[in-house]
Amino acid sequence: QGHQERRRGDDMLSSRHAVAMATRRTRMYIPASKRFIGNDSIKSIDEKIQRIQEAQAMFATYDQKTVDHIFRQVAHAANKQRVPLAKLAVEETRMGLMEDKVIKNGVVIETSVSAYADMKTCGIIDRDTERGLIKIATPVGPLACITPCTNPTSTVIIKSLFALKTRNAAIFLPHPRASACSHEAMRICRDAAVAAGAPPNVLDCVEHPTLELNRHVMDHPGIKLIVATGGPGMVKASYSTGKPALGVGAGNASVLVDDTADLKMAASSIVMGKTFDNGVICASEQSTVVIESIFEEFKSLLQKRGVHFVYGEERKKLGEFLIKNGAINPDIVGQSAQTIAQKCGIRIPPDAVVIATEASEVGPHEPFSFEKLSPVMTLYRAPTFNEAKDLCASIVHFGGEGHTAVIHSNDENRIAAFAAAMPAHHLFANVPSSIAAVGTAFNFNVPPSLTLGVGTTGGSSIATNMTPASLINVKLMASRQEHMEWMKTPPNLYFNRNCTREAIADLAKPYPGGKRDTRAMIVTDRAMVEFGYCAKVQQMLEQIGFKVAVFDDVTPDPTIECVRAGAAACEQFKPEVLIGLGGGSPMDAAKGIRVFYEHPEAKLEDVGARFIELRKRTCPFPDTGSKVHKLVCIPTTSGTGSEVTPFAVITEGTHKYPLFSYRMTPDVAIVDSAFCDNLPKSLVANAGVDALVHAIEAYVSVASNDFTKAHATRAVKLLFEYLPESYKNGTIRAREMVHHASTIAGIAFANSFLGITHSLSHQIGGAFHTPHGMTNAILMEHVIDYNAVDAPTRMGVYPQYTHPLAKQRYAELARAIGCTGNSDYELVQKFKQRISELKKSLDIPATFAEAGINKDAYYKVIDSLAEHAFDDQCTPANPRFPLVPELRHILECAYDGQPLSSRMYLEPKEADAAKTKA
């Protein structure tokens, strides 16, 4: 009768039956009042789950110290009962060896205490004040824990320990063939837990499990997570509930023994793993593939260790008994080699501990390629390592995807290749896998567990050993963290009138070790050649021993073709020093030439790829300095600031790419106003207002800081004071101060970036070829109106930018140039007025219509301009995060000088006051 009950239990939990039941039954929870099974109402199960839920609510409030005490007390209590529980398990299941089950019970307790006793699982488990992160653990339960008949008491013990360590209440669903011993293991753990202070009913068990009862528990809304260690049918049923589940999968561990292995150790390890608890552990060795050259020697070593090989009729009998109806015969699981031999009618020596046979094929037609869960193993041979590796993968694919594979080898490269090729997640080298997989003496770094996930490869949600960390939800509290900021400038900056000769002389100084640079290329345009500036710098270089080449084909708004041509010239001349001489275009071209000379494979679209956060760009910017040791920039106009910035604008077709990387920051900047003596007035005006916009946008940027504000403020003051004089009379003092202001503004925006004035200007300049400074000037006041609000549609995003500050910062600049007012709003209006007056004094047009842009052409592309401006690299630093329609509105107003819609930029009270005043 007992044998029949066990068989009924096995049939009940067979894979096909469980899947069929899962398919037939609805996933909807059916109330207890409407469901009965035999003589028992589901009501008793619902009452248990109700008590578990109450225990869960109480247990979730426990602190770490109390939980750790409970954990240790339960481990101690269970350890004292490891022998009685092992006896009970063998008596009830008739599987395995009592002695090995004692070891299993003890090992899971000891290793769990060693590995997890000090693990933080309650409340705050990690606090990183430097990074502003707090991790808080909460329980996931209540749990439903499915346990197998192969490792009944040890699985209940370790799951109880994991549940208690993580403040989870749990109800156990044991295999019908192991219900009594499983219940007793649970009772021992529960009683010890309650005695140590845990809530009553924190652990419970279904005493007389059936498929229907188990399914009811898993479907119950009070159960939050299912932990399934059992046959494939129950594991699949747990996943079919629609609830979170942690499940295992079938194991069909393959073993590879190669010709570099310690064959004696390999043979002993395989026999040890295969005989431990009569092979019931799912990670035990099932099939071994041996390289041909050592096959006979290795087979002989196995025979000496008690492995008996069967062939012919005996092999046939064993195979027919091993697999029934395409699945493992339950009567073979966990039986000794002698018992198996008796049951299938074959004779083996009395000292045989493993029955083995040879095979050459893998699949349903070869019974010995299945998982066997008994001291029965299969030996394959393969001519080469690669063929052996492929055969092992086939075995795992057939019946144990995601589970276990083992290699015995002393070749690290082969071990790595084996690991990469196996469709398994639990991989071992030179150990008995059945023992090592659960975290024992062969490698204590393997997390102790009896629930081995098989990942998505094997249809599981986890691919690792389940640990207490699997049974907690971790909340992450992230506090606002200010990013590290910086102030990056060229390592060497020389300034004051006529400083160029002395500054260039420093280029001849040797590096540590005595070597110096001797080859220099000047990147410039034809105007610099015609004015004699190129020859002047070339002469200075030659006088200190440089060989000099000149690339003078730079055009306004340098194109990628120009940059590629310059890189080709560098490839021929091989300069060690590159000198950008001229306005923004030659200096930008020099930066680009350096990049593409040192990295000819680079693409402009990659180098100019947009990013939101500088340190997280998707396309890394190429390193510089491998060929050009120093990049020197000598500005001959006063506006771009390119001599000190990490920016360059390169054009491809009608599209301008603003490149940015601190790797493009020049190594040397020479700011000599003597080059500015003969600048045409239009260039003085356009470049000057470009510098002014640089300073203003840097000051109000979301990344603005104390260091950049100081530079930006000084630049604004110098420009308002000296730019009109530099334009009108061109005095030496005025030209020098404007030249310095341009560089100072460059330092500011190099470190706090720009805004949408430049985003829009890049698009308009690319489409209509308007001077960059003039384009900025026309847009400037409209952008100030747009930004200077207390309640923007969207605020710029940056940790240090805590609330809308643009209006306040514009007001601060207004005060810096001498404006007075009763409110920030009034100061902003006066600041705009001063800008307007400055532009008028410089003869800069007030609108794009005045600048000569055709209205039809302008409005034909206005939507495209707005969209591309939104995606411009300068946009993220703007204090107000723009929407595309808002950018379009700014473009509309800038064309004919209409003011922005009051709803877009004026605060309600201020708008009313302005209307009343008007």
Side-chain angles (χ1 to χ4, degrees), residues 357-489:
T357 190
E358 295 182 37
S360 59
E361 297 182 354
V362 177
H365 55 281
E366 174 51 83
F368 291 99
S369 64
F370 282 73
E371 180 186 31
K372 295 169 271 291
L373 294 180
S374 60
V376 176
M377 65 176 286
T378 313
L379 211 61
Y380 291 84
R381 65 178 78 203
T384 66
F385 170 78
N386 285 334
E387 289 172 285
K389 172 167 60 69
D390 293 343
L391 184 52
C392 281
S394 297
I395 294 167
V396 176
H397 269 305
F398 171 58
E401 285 190 312
H403 212 289
T404 302
V406 191
I407 182 171
H408 290 271
S409 172
N410 285 312
D411 186 324
E412 291 297 328
N413 292 329
R414 284 184 172 183
I415 292 173
F418 177 84
M422 290 304 105
H425 300 298
H426 305 273
L427 302 165
F428 301 95
N430 303 315
V431 296
S433 63
S434 64
I435 302 173
V438 298
T440 61
F442 293 98
N443 191 326
F444 282 122
N445 295 306
V446 175
S449 183
L450 287 178
T451 301
L452 279 60
V454 293
T456 55
T457 311
S460 173
S461 58
I462 57 172
T464 60
N465 285 8
M466 192 192 82
T467 72
S470 309
L471 302 181
I472 56 175
N473 290 320
V474 178
K475 302 177 183 180
L476 182 66
M477 167 65 76
S479 301
R480 191 184 192 103
Q481 283 292 103
E482 292 190 352
H483 293 172
M484 178 198 74
E485 295 183 280
W486 52 80
M487 193 69 180
K488 296 188 179 183
T489 61

Side-chain angles (χ1 to χ4, degrees), residues 6 32 38 86 100 254 327 353 364 498 524 565 664 737 801 807-808:
R6 288 195 298 273
D100 286 343
S254 62
V353 294
N498 295 317
T524 189
M664 288 200 303
M737 289 300 97
Y801 198 68
K807 185 168 67 174
Q808 174 187 323

Side-chain angles (χ1 to χ4, degrees), residues 3-230:
H3 176 70
Q4 291 173 351
E5 288 293 327
R6 288 195 298 273
R7 287 300 300 272
R8 278 201 295 272
D10 292 322
D11 292 340
M12 191 182 307
L13 295 180
S14 71
S15 174
R16 285 177 295 176
H17 189 183
V19 173
M21 289 299 297
T23 302
R24 288 197 297 269
R25 291 191 64 247
T26 175
R27 294 184 181 181
M28 183 179 298
Y29 177 70
I30 302 175
S33 61
K34 297 184 179 179
R35 298 187 62 233
F36 293 84
I37 297 178
N39 296 323
D40 294 324
S41 168
I42 296 296
K43 182 179 179 182
S44 62
I45 296 297
D46 287 348
E47 289 172 349
K48 281 190 176 186
I49 295 177
Q50 176 63 34
R51 292 192 292 269
I52 285 173
Q53 288 179 283
E54 293 169 358
Q56 177 69 71
M58 185 184 302
F59 200 22
T61 66
Y62 281 33
D63 61 21
Q64 189 73 63
K65 183 178 180 180
T66 305
V67 167
D68 289 349
H69 173 70
I70 294 169
F71 176 79
R72 287 184 178 276
Q73 291 302 112
V74 171
H76 184 56
N79 195 46
K80 288 193 291 186
Q81 298 299 319
R82 64 188 185 280
V83 176
L85 286 174
K87 288 181 178 179
L88 186 58
V90 173
E91 289 170 3
E92 183 178 13
T93 66
R94 297 291 188 265
M95 292 181 184
L97 292 170
M98 185 275 290
E99 295 83 355
D100 286 343
K101 291 192 184 297
V102 171
I103 297 298
K104 267 199 292 192
N105 289 340
V107 163
V108 298
I109 296 167
E110 291 177 7
T111 55
S112 294
V113 170
S114 175
Y116 307 127
D118 296 325
M119 176 187 286
K120 292 182 179 181
T121 56
C122 306
I124 295 175
I125 59 175
D126 185 51
R127 187 192 298 271
D128 188 337
T129 54
E130 185 176 334
R131 298 172 63 205
L133 299 176
I134 298 175
K135 293 181 180 179
I136 304 162
T138 60
V140 300
L143 313 175
C145 299
I146 300 169
T147 58
C149 60
T150 50
N151 308 299
T153 58
S154 53
T155 304
V156 170
I157 290 169
I158 196 168
K159 286 188 177 179
S160 295
L161 288 172
F162 285 8
L164 294 168
K165 178 65 178 175
T166 52
R167 300 183 294 179
N168 284 296
I171 183 169
F172 285 88
L173 311 177
H175 193 288
R177 198 168 165 178
S179 58
C181 63
S182 300
H183 185 274
E184 178 62 11
M186 182 281 303
R187 184 197 63 77
I188 291 168
C189 293
R190 181 185 61 196
D191 289 354
V194 172
N201 306 304
V202 70
L203 301 176
D204 213 328
C205 185
V206 175
E207 297 181 44
H208 304 290
T210 65
L211 181 63
E212 196 71 11
L213 278 174
N214 289 353
R215 184 67 197 218
H216 176 77
V217 172
M218 290 189 290
D219 282 339
H220 196 288
I223 298 301
K224 302 304 180 184
L225 177 70
I226 302 168
V227 182
T229 307

Side-chain angles (χ1 to χ4, degrees), residues 689 693 757 772-781 835 839 844-846:
V689 290
V693 175
T757 307
H772 178 63
M774 181 197 76
T775 309
N776 280 334
I778 293 171
L779 291 162
M780 190 173 359
E781 291 116 306
I835 292 171
K839 288 163 50 178
I844 291 176

